[in-house]
Amino acid sequence: MKLAVAATALAAFLTQALAAPATSGTLQPATVPNCGYPTVPLLRAWSETATDHVYTTNATEMDTFLTNNYTAQGIAAYILPADTQAPTAVPLFRLYSSKNTDHYLTANATDRDVTLSRGNYVSDGIAGYVYPDQDCGTVPLWRLNNHVVLDNFFTTDQAEVYDFVDQLGYNDLGAIAYVNPQ
Ligand SMILES: *[C@@H]1O[C@H](CO)[C@@H](O)[C@H](O)[C@H]1NC(C)=O
Ligand SMILES: *[C@@H]1O[C@H](CO)[C@@H](O)[C@H](O)[C@H]1NC(C)=O
Ligand SMILES: *[C@@H]1O[C@H](CO)[C@@H](O)[C@H](O)[C@H]1NC(C)=O
């Protein structure tokens, strides 16, 4: 079980400060001219009952989350689709823990394997593709983690990184990959 008090405070903050108006139905693929390869929006949603952020490029899957206590939070990043031609792109793996009700992303295959081997997470496919290095004007995709509410949070927005560290008790664990800027 998660800590109810911390979760409630967190939920109140997130609901007020971070609920974004975008909905999955209005999103279009975007081509950003950085490395020259088309990208797709990585959608984010948040569940205050589960204290969980979830990420997907699949608008149909997102709609399922939105009918199950998740609130849309717009676009977390622009990543490369499954059929990308970008030569240096690597998979952004998704993992899920039903015990923690936590969705996790990693572009590091060793991290994925180590996390799976610990038994709390199962593989949840590939969200899309990302750059392992900061090429062509790409920006960091930051990972933050909160051990109290057992949530992993991912963003390209430096202001969100500061807010989550300063106000919500998340730890900044650095860049997990590089993506086209918003
Ligand atoms: C998107 O999600 C839906 C619902 O989960 C699934 O049926 C469909 O296969 C997914 N599409 C792709 C391209 O993965
Ligand atoms: C949504 O939240 C309500 C209130 O906490 C809970 O009773 C319900 O089981 C949740 N539904 C799902 C699908 O998680
Ligand atoms: C990948 O993950 C492993 C296991 O956590 C870690 O030892 C390694 O430093 C990571 N590699 C990079 C490039 O971050």
Side-chain angles (χ1 to χ4, degrees):
M1 290 297 292
K2 311 231 174 174
L3 284 185
V5 172
T8 302
L10 178 61
F13 178 91
L14 289 166
T15 301
Q16 284 173 21
L18 297 172
T23 65
S24 58
T26 63
L27 297 170
Q28 299 294 326
T31 301
V32 184
N34 285 74
C35 293
Y37 297 99
T39 60
V40 290
L42 181 64
L43 307 170
R44 185 172 81 207
W46 156 253
S47 169
E48 89 181 48
T49 52
T51 58
D52 179 42
H53 288 91
V54 67
Y55 299 80
T56 182
T57 61
N58 180 335
T60 306
E61 184 185 28
M62 179 53 78
D63 286 342
T64 305
F65 285 112
L66 298 183
T67 60
N68 285 286
N69 285 336
Y70 284 79
T71 303
Q73 290 196 322
I75 298 168
Y78 287 93
I79 65 173
L80 301 159
D83 62 354
T84 186
Q85 301 298 307
T88 60
V90 296
L92 182 61
F93 299 106
R94 301 202 317 181
L95 284 73
Y96 176 66
S97 170
S98 57
K99 181 183 173 192
N100 298 353
T101 320
D102 182 46
H103 289 85
Y104 181 59
L105 300 174
T106 182
N108 176 338
T110 306
D111 177 45
R112 176 202 57 185
D113 292 345
V114 168
T115 304
L116 290 175
S117 74
R118 291 189 181 132
N120 282 342
Y121 286 80
V122 295
S123 180
D124 194 19
I126 291 171
Y129 288 76
V130 291
Y131 299 99
D133 300 306
Q134 191 163 20
D135 298 329
C136 330
T138 53
V139 298
L141 178 60
W142 307 105
R143 174 188 168 210
L144 295 93
N145 172 279
N146 186 312
H147 295 295
V148 178
V149 300
L150 301 176
D151 183 41
N152 281 286
F153 176 69
F154 301 86
T155 183
T156 58
D157 183 344
Q158 188 72 61
E160 282 191 331
V161 172
Y162 293 139
D163 280 349
F164 274 64
V165 170
D166 293 346
Q167 302 186 40
L168 300 174
Y170 282 66
N171 300 305
D172 178 357
L173 298 175
I176 63 159
Y178 298 88
V179 297
N180 285 25
Q182 296 268 11

